[in-house]
Amino acid sequence: MLLALDIGNTNITLGVFDGERLAATWRLSTDRSKMPDEYSIMLTQLMSLRGMSPQDIHAVALCSVVPPLTPMFADMCRQFFAVDPLVVAAGTRTGIRILYDNPRDVGADRIVDAAAALKLYGGPIIIVDMGTATVFDAVTADGDYLGGAIAPGMTIAHDALFSSTSQLRRVELVSPATPIGKNTIHAIQSGIVLGYAELVRGMVARFDEELGGGAKVIGTGGMAHIIEQEAGVFDDVNPDLTLTGLRLIHEMSK
């Protein structure tokens, strides 16, 4: 079995693949203060609940946007699974040609998502990752990663609104009944949920025009399902895009 690890700023997403089948997934809060043994214990417990053990893992692929945690998890994999993990970085074979000004500046998760989207859906393609940040990526039909755009994520915007004002409070991020909010809760929901839907719709239109039209649009990330109905631009929402990309890249490395 293959363990795929996506180490993000807010969450660490783990998935176990049995061949091409994603047999189990888990999410942990990203905590830079935890030691490798603590993560190992947590993972052991999670795996045991699914009838799995560390001995079932024969390979590991990981990507990370949290540099301090990358070597820690790599060491954990060596000690815990007796496996030298594939760490996606500059120079890793991904099937994607990076045309960024400095390819090393592109987050590993963005390239993993691009590799998965191109393989699963074909190009040209626009990936909208709605996680800690809202990230747009553009890939041509030939597999050229052109670049993208980065905006604050919905949760970051929501938390900043709460922490920077005296009378506004946190609300559930769901679509309001109408764009014109009749109370503060609905007004915040309108501004954030519907506002981000318009951000996604507008940026996708601009990207599609630059790509020459006809691009597929794939949503991923924790907030994509909230925006899916409001934006009306996603051809598919794939919450496991990054994990699938790690599996595909691991297969390329064999």
Side-chain angles (χ1 to χ4, degrees):
M1 289 183 173
L2 167 71
L3 173 65
L5 283 164
D6 172 23
I7 304 171
N9 288 297
T10 303
N11 296 309
I12 299 168
T13 306
L14 309 94
V16 173
F17 286 91
D18 185 1
E20 295 185 1
R21 182 177 69 91
L22 185 56
T25 61
W26 305 279
R27 287 182 182 273
L28 306 175
S29 295
T30 302
D31 187 346
R32 294 165 177 80
S33 67
K34 274 190 169 58
M35 302 300 291
D37 288 345
E38 294 177 279
Y39 277 115
S40 299
I41 291 170
M42 293 172 66
L43 187 51
T44 299
Q45 293 173 338
L46 291 170
M47 293 178 68
S48 66
L49 291 174
R50 298 292 186 92
M52 301 175 184
S53 71
Q55 289 72 34
D56 295 326
I57 303 300
H58 301 120
V60 178
L62 73 85
C63 65
S64 172
V65 295
V66 188
L69 291 184
T70 308
M72 189 191 81
F73 268 87
D75 288 342
M76 183 196 76
C77 291
R78 296 184 187 100
Q79 296 175 17
F80 191 56
F81 300 111
V83 167
D84 195 23
L86 169 66
V87 180
V88 178
T92 303
R93 183 183 177 190
T94 62
I96 297 289
R97 185 171 66 158
I98 304 172
L99 301 186
Y100 224 53
D101 289 345
N102 183 354
R104 294 180 180 274
D105 286 346
V106 186
D109 57 338
R110 298 173 70 183
I111 299 305
V112 171
D113 284 351
L118 185 67
K119 177 69 173 180
L120 295 175
Y121 305 101
I125 196 159
I126 301 165
I127 304 120
V128 185
D129 186 350
M130 305 201 68
T132 305
T134 298
V135 181
F136 302 84
D137 292 304
V139 183
T140 70
D142 295 327
D144 292 339
Y145 175 86
L146 300 180
I150 303 173
M154 289 173 63
T155 302
I156 287 178
H158 179 224
D159 291 347
L161 189 65
F162 166 76
S163 62
S164 301
T165 58
S166 299
Q167 293 186 304
L168 300 182
R169 58 187 183 275
R170 287 189 173 93
V171 303
E172 184 181 6
L173 292 180
V174 296
S175 298
T178 61
I180 301 175
K182 302 299 193 296
N183 56 61
T184 302
I185 292 175
H186 290 167
I188 294 173
Q189 290 171 336
S190 177
I192 294 181
V193 177
L194 301 186
Y196 267 80
E198 294 304 314
L199 166 67
V200 169
R201 186 182 289 120
M203 290 300 290
V204 164
R206 288 173 179 265
F207 273 45
D208 188 52
E209 181 180 4
E210 192 169 339
L211 285 166
K216 297 182 180 69
V217 184
I218 307 303
T220 190
M223 295 294 173
H225 68 284
I226 297 174
I227 297 300
E228 179 181 9
Q229 295 299 321
E230 298 298 338
V233 296
F234 295 145
D235 293 296
D236 191 23
V237 174
N238 188 335
D240 301 318
L241 189 67
T242 309
L243 297 179
T244 301
L246 286 168
R247 175 182 65 79
L248 293 169
I249 291 170
H250 176 264
E251 290 175 357
M252 292 180 201
S253 70
K254 292 180 180 179

